[in-house]
Amino acid sequence: MRSRNTTSISCASAAAALLLLAAAGCGSKDKDAAGLSDCERAAENAAAVGVVRNAFNAGNLGTADELATHFQDVQRSVYLDTSGKLRPWAELKTHPATSYDTLIWVNTLEGPVGDRAHDARLRVRDSGSASCD
């Protein structure tokens, strides 16, 4: 179970995800409510989605039918490939509704996978590995 601080960070991450979607581009130096640039937020999102994608594709996060409940009014072919695997974040983020739905799903996951996704975000933040200039 996550601590109150972790839950607050998850809520802040969800709010920040909305800011990311509205952002003009990765090169922006503007900071969001968490003090992260668009580029830093994008790097954190990529890390967290990567963890969740790997878990889903390994069969650890349910079925395609269960996943579909998080992607209302979006065709499965937009977020799943022909073999039923979740597409990479680089593809998911190009479709606004899918990008939004993906980030909401990732940011609200609980349990071990949600914890690992959260930890992936923090590793990017703590290591400075976002490569933002």
Side-chain angles (χ1 to χ4, degrees):
M1 177 163 270
R2 291 186 184 176
S3 69
R4 171 177 260 150
N5 289 341
T6 304
T7 302
S8 296
I9 291 171
S10 294
C11 291
S13 295
L18 296 174
L19 292 174
L20 170 68
L21 294 173
C26 188
S28 174
K29 297 292 184 192
D30 293 335
K31 302 286 183 173
D32 65 12
L36 300 175
S37 70
D38 293 340
C39 179
E40 291 165 326
R41 178 63 61 199
E44 285 191 11
N45 286 340
V49 172
V51 167
V52 173
R53 178 179 181 258
N54 290 340
F56 178 81
N57 289 348
N60 298 325
L61 280 178
T63 66
D65 287 339
E66 292 168 330
L67 180 60
T69 64
H70 299 282
F71 292 90
Q72 299 296 318
D73 302 319
V74 177
Q75 292 180 346
R76 284 188 187 197
S77 62
V78 174
Y79 58 90
L80 296 177
D81 64 20
T82 55
S83 64
K85 303 291 186 189
L86 188 63
R87 293 184 182 278
W89 177 237
E91 293 177 35
L92 295 170
K93 70 181 181 178
T94 63
H95 186 271
T98 305
S99 177
Y100 176 82
D101 290 345
T102 301
L103 292 175
I104 295 301
W105 173 52
V106 168
N107 289 330
T108 58
L109 275 175
E110 295 182 357
V113 176
D115 291 343
R116 287 196 314 267
H118 176 74
D119 292 346
R121 286 182 184 283
L122 293 181
R123 277 193 303 280
V124 169
R125 190 177 300 187
D126 293 343
S127 70
S129 63
S131 299
C132 301
D133 295 325

